[in-house]
């Protein structure tokens, strides 16, 4: 564990555009190496994010990204605010798709849901695991706000561009990935942990 990992509830503002007051608030939910280790081990699905931070992002007091993996530089380059408490229900890790079409799985936090794709369905690169640096997080928030037109001339402006949410529920038609993985409809992350006996459910058993 790094001594520099920010505590849950740590908040910073990041500018979305050069306009004064055009800001988003990034709040730390967890640092995996400190907060998500069980019996001294970080679960396989979380290892791509071992050095990242789990955050949520709000604009004008509205959560626009309920869960995102970000590089620590996002916190270092932001402007500090007073911390606020983090509740158990705030743990909403993004879901990513791991493996190959022949052996794919939906990784939702510590839960793993096999995807029977039979090698016939391409996995979008936008659903793959990688934490966001500040520049990409800023573009991601603007897209989430419906402000694509304010992004510089890149693919991010294209309405059909599959932006890297790294939460497949928010990709175009992404509910289908959860259906293919047979995640029960309406499942919250805490429910998924209980179903599979991982995470907090494992630590209580």
């Amino acid at each position: 564990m790094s001594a520099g990992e920010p505590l849950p509830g740590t908040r910073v503002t990041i500018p979305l555009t050069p306009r004064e007051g055009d800001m988003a608030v990034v709040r730390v939910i967890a640092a995996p190496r400190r907060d998500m280790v069980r019996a001294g081990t970080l679960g396989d699905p979380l290892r791509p994010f071992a050095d990242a931070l789990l955050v949520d992002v709000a604009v004008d007091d509205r959560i626009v990204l309920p869960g995102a993996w970000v590089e620590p530089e996002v916190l270092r380059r932001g402007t500090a605010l007073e911390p606020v408490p983090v509740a158990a229900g705030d743990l909403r890790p993004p879901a990513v798709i791991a493996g190959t079409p022949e052996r794919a799985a939906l990784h939702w936090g510590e839960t793993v849901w096999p995807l029977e794709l039979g090698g016939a369905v391409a996995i979008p690169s936008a659903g793959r695991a990688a934490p966001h640096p500040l520049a990409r997080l800023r573009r991601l928030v603007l897209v989430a706000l419906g402000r694509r037109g304010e992004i510089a001339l890149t693919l991010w402006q294209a309405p059909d561009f599959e932006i890297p949410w790294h939460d497949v529920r928010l990709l175009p038609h992404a509910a289908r990935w959860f259906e293919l993985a047979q995640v029960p409809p309406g499942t919250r992350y805490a429910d998924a942990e209980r179903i599979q006996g991982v995470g907090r459910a494992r630590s209580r058993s």
Side-chain angles (χ1 to χ4, degrees), residues 2-3 12 30 36 42 44 49 52-53 93 114 134 142 148 155 159-160 164 191 195 199 205:
S2 165
V12 300
M36 303 177 86
L42 193 63
D44 286 344
F49 308 106
L53 297 169
L134 178 60
L142 287 171
R148 285 180 188 263
L155 280 174
D160 59 348
D191 301 326
I195 290 168
S205 59

Side-chain angles (χ1 to χ4, degrees), residues 185-197:
T187 300
R188 300 169 306 143
Y189 182 64
D191 301 326
E193 284 186 319
R194 281 192 292 273
I195 290 168
Q196 296 200 352

Side-chain angles (χ1 to χ4, degrees), residues 14-93:
I14 59 169
L16 296 178
T17 64
R19 289 200 306 272
E20 186 175 352
D22 193 15
M23 300 280 186
V25 176
V26 178
R27 177 177 66 156
V28 175
I29 304 302
R33 288 192 194 276
R34 181 192 60 224
D35 304 317
M36 303 177 86
V37 167
R38 312 290 172 192
T41 303
L42 193 63
D44 286 344
L46 295 176
R47 286 185 186 163
F49 308 106
D51 298 317
L53 297 169
L54 178 62
V55 303
D56 60 22
V57 184
V59 176
D60 295 329
D61 297 321
R62 177 173 69 92
I63 298 275
V64 293
L65 295 181
W69 293 110
V70 300
E71 298 282 0
E73 62 136 357
V74 170
L75 273 288
R76 291 195 297 267
R77 295 176 60 187
T79 301
L81 293 175
E82 286 292 316
V84 297
V86 170
D90 295 327
L91 183 65
R92 289 173 283 185

